[in-house]
Amino acid sequence: MRVDGLWIGQVAMAALTNVAFAFAVGSALLGAWLAKDGIQTVSPARAAWLRAQRSLVTGATVLVLADVVWLLYQSASMSGVGLPEAIGIVPTVLSQTHVGYAWSLAFGGAVVLLLTSLAGHQGTLRNALLWLAVIAVAAGKASLGHAADAGPASAAIGMHTLHVLVTSVWGGLVLAGGLGVVPALGTSTARGVMIRTAGQLSNVSLVAVVFVLLTGAFNAARGAGGSFEAIEVSTWGHILTLKLILVALALVLGGLNRVSALPRLRRTASTMDAHTFTNVLYLEALAMLGVFVAAAVLAHSIPGFAALG
């Protein structure tokens, strides 16, 4: 692994795609939960629903653009040329490399995700296409990582695809909820909608976290080659440790909301308890941003077992 401008650019774009994809997934879920109330012109939930819709479009747009820039950096890195010259290498990368095939799947899913997010109606076909696009993006992103070393139709690819999906559900709900949607439900007239949405967010996040931990443990064991030494002495292992610390911090904050702030909010429906839930969710969102950045660095680092030879 050579840390230079191209590597930093790749990691930055990968981190941006991670965050944008999660934002889009979380916003789609929150928008679906708020649609029944928010679609009404006069509704306390309308502001939050509109934020979820805008966040979905923004996340999908950023995902498409960041994917394009990442491919340019990747082409430059693979060919050993500068960014301007890499433009001419892109067609070869797309047509003749595994990276090109995997990127095309992820990018195609991102484009469909953007188009469906721009659709004015909320029909069954639109929703089906949206979630198929989400799965395509997750599969493409998984195939761009170290799991691809095991082959295009391997258990490692399947496990990592699931990991990308559930991480984006958990992280996306936290990011879109904590940084945009839930604060828009802060008025007293929207308190009932906030309590219901907070409960849905907490329950779905809990299920997603279980799968995140299971699939993450599989990926970590595979990357370390089953050796703790690989985690202790390799750069990859140190980055993994940092990511686990950030995940633990997010888990603690999410746990505080679930076992303390949310039950109090349900009992009192007070403004103070609503603010407490929102503030803790905001801190959890900041921790999740760090998790997604660390995940991007891991994906562009030499696995622990390879570093040990």
Side-chain angles (χ1 to χ4, degrees):
M1 181 182 71
R2 180 183 175 186
V3 179
D4 56 13
L6 289 178
W7 183 86
I8 293 173
Q10 276 184 283
V11 170
M13 288 302 103
L16 188 56
T17 62
N18 289 346
V19 173
F21 181 50
F23 249 108
V25 172
S27 298
L29 287 170
L30 289 165
W33 296 340
L34 292 167
K36 184 177 180 180
D37 295 311
I39 202 169
Q40 303 174 31
T41 304
V42 181
S43 169
R46 184 165 179 80
W49 179 71
L50 289 175
R51 281 197 185 185
Q53 297 300 105
R54 289 193 292 266
S55 182
L56 171 57
V57 173
T58 301
T61 302
V62 173
L63 177 61
V64 168
L65 296 176
D67 270 343
V68 172
V69 179
W70 181 90
L71 178 63
L72 186 61
Y73 273 105
Q74 178 68 19
S75 299
S77 178
M78 292 174 68
S79 60
V81 300
L83 283 179
E85 295 84 357
I87 296 175
I89 307 296
V90 168
T92 302
V93 172
L94 289 175
S95 62
Q96 299 182 20
T97 68
H98 169 78
V99 168
Y101 305 147
W103 180 89
S104 296
L105 176 61
F107 182 72
V111 170
V112 175
L113 180 60
L114 175 58
L115 293 176
T116 53
S117 71
L118 292 171
H121 61 282
Q122 301 286 324
T124 302
L125 178 60
R126 178 262 189 187
N127 292 333
L129 287 174
L130 186 149
W131 291 110
L132 284 174
V134 167
I135 294 172
V137 173
K141 287 173 68 66
S143 298
L144 288 169
H146 298 307
D149 296 339
S154 62
I157 288 288
M159 191 66 72
H160 195 45
T161 298
L162 179 59
H163 183 72
V164 172
L165 277 172
V166 293
T167 303
S168 296
V169 169
W170 174 32
L173 285 173
V174 171
L175 288 172
L179 300 180
V181 177
V182 173
L185 295 171
T187 61
S188 58
T189 55
R191 194 59 39 80
V193 179
M194 179 182 180
I195 292 173
R196 187 185 72 232
T197 303
Q200 291 171 308
L201 188 155
S202 181
N203 291 335
V204 174
S205 294
L206 178 61
V207 175
V209 163
V210 173
F211 285 97
V212 167
L213 296 178
L214 291 175
T215 55
F218 175 87
N219 288 340
R222 184 176 179 277
S227 169
F228 282 107
E229 183 184 2
I231 297 176
E232 293 174 356
V233 303
S234 67
T235 301
W236 178 89
H238 298 160
I239 298 167
L240 175 64
T241 301
L242 174 61
K243 180 185 175 183
L244 292 176
I245 291 172
L246 291 170
V247 168
L249 176 59
L251 285 173
V252 169
L253 292 169
L256 284 174
N257 255 349
R258 182 172 180 82
V259 304
S260 180
L262 183 56
R264 287 204 315 271
L265 178 60
R266 283 171 170 159
R267 286 196 306 269
T268 68
S270 69
T271 300
M272 183 178 68
D273 289 329
H275 287 169
T276 299
F277 181 89
T278 303
N279 291 338
V280 174
L281 187 62
Y282 176 80
L283 294 176
E284 187 181 355
L286 296 182
M288 287 306 305
L289 286 174
V291 171
F292 285 125
V293 172
V297 178
L298 274 179
H300 291 79
S301 302
I302 299 173
F305 72 87
L308 290 180

